Amino acid sequence: MQRTIKHIVLVFGLAIAFVSCNDGKSLQMYFVDNQESSNFITQDIPISMVKIDDSKFTEEQKEAYNSVKRLNFLGYKVEGTEAETFKAELAKVKTILSDKKYHDLMEFSDKGNKIVVKYIGTEDEADEVIIFGSADELGFGIVRVLGNNMNPDKMVTLVSAMQNANVDENQVQDIVNFFK
């Protein structure tokens, strides 16, 4: 009996050591590590708080929109002479997003800013959709889109529709003001 307990303790200890030695950083941990930093802003936004005119959405876009439950936002603002710090933080995010668990969904430019959309999950269901955009003069922003039954293909159509959607900026005023 004592030997069995020792084996269980040993296996449990090895499991903890293995998990704690994993130096692969996740996007979620990057959010947590930087939520209190001065050049960062974070916001957790329930989708029910975001009022979007979806009257021009297709059924597929409405389905994708309704599958979203929450948005986690992390933004980094470039302040004056901190170009090297910005480049270092940008490199960290790009390294995290280069992990093979993040699947490419789409890339596009919006007003001169590069936007990358990736997801974690399968071709049929995304556990998380990540929207990452950066601009050298402003900084970068990451949105983690969390929900249920999110289909990656339908999320692509939603992202495209959101570019032309009528969104009340007052709902995200803190984020807009942060980058001013």
Side-chain angles (χ1 to χ4, degrees):
M1 178 70 167
Q2 232 177 5
R3 184 176 225 182
T4 304
I5 292 173
K6 285 182 182 180
H7 280 41
I8 292 172
V9 170
L10 178 63
V11 169
F12 184 68
L14 289 173
I16 289 173
F18 178 73
V19 171
S20 65
C21 289
N22 181 2
D23 60 357
K25 191 155 183 126
S26 71
L27 198 54
Q28 183 177 4
M29 284 307 302
Y30 186 79
F31 270 58
V32 170
D33 291 347
N34 292 294
Q35 66 187 0
E36 302 290 325
S37 300
S38 62
N39 281 20
F40 286 89
I41 182 174
T42 59
Q43 259 189 333
D44 191 24
I45 308 164
I47 199 68
S48 61
M49 300 289 289
V50 180
K51 303 298 180 223
I52 294 176
D53 179 11
D54 64 354
S55 62
K56 295 181 181 161
F57 284 6
T58 65
E59 284 303 313
E60 192 172 71
Q61 291 165 338
K62 285 181 182 179
E63 186 180 326
Y65 178 70
N66 290 329
S67 70
V68 175
K69 301 300 174 214
R70 186 171 43 128
L71 307 172
N72 292 128
F73 174 79
L74 177 73
Y76 179 89
K77 181 179 178 180
V78 175
E79 293 273 351
T81 61
E82 298 176 348
E84 292 305 314
T85 305
F86 167 68
K87 288 179 184 176
E89 292 300 327
L90 189 60
K92 287 179 191 177
V93 173
K94 287 182 176 182
T95 298
I96 292 168
L97 293 177
S98 69
D99 188 297
K100 63 183 177 186
K101 74 179 177 182
Y102 296 100
H103 305 285
D104 293 331
L105 202 50
M106 66 187 292
E107 283 187 32
F108 61 93
S109 291
D110 185 40
K111 300 175 186 168
N113 303 316
K114 184 178 177 183
I115 311 290
V116 176
V117 182
K118 296 184 171 248
Y119 72 98
I120 298 172
T122 66
E123 290 181 13
D124 297 323
E125 187 172 336
D127 300 321
E128 179 177 327
V129 176
I130 298 95
I131 304 168
F132 171 64
S134 66
D136 290 340
E137 64 280 352
L138 294 174
F140 64 80
I142 309 164
V143 178
R144 292 177 61 226
V145 181
L146 306 167
N148 296 321
N149 303 317
M150 295 186 301
N151 180 290
D153 291 335
K154 291 178 183 176
M155 295 306 286
V156 168
T157 66
L158 179 62
V159 169
S160 298
M162 294 298 290
Q163 289 179 288
N164 301 318
N166 184 13
V167 180
D168 181 3
E169 283 190 21
N170 290 327
Q171 298 171 91
V172 289
Q173 197 62 45
D174 290 343
I175 295 170
V176 172
N177 289 339
F178 177 75
F179 285 104
K180 287 185 178 178

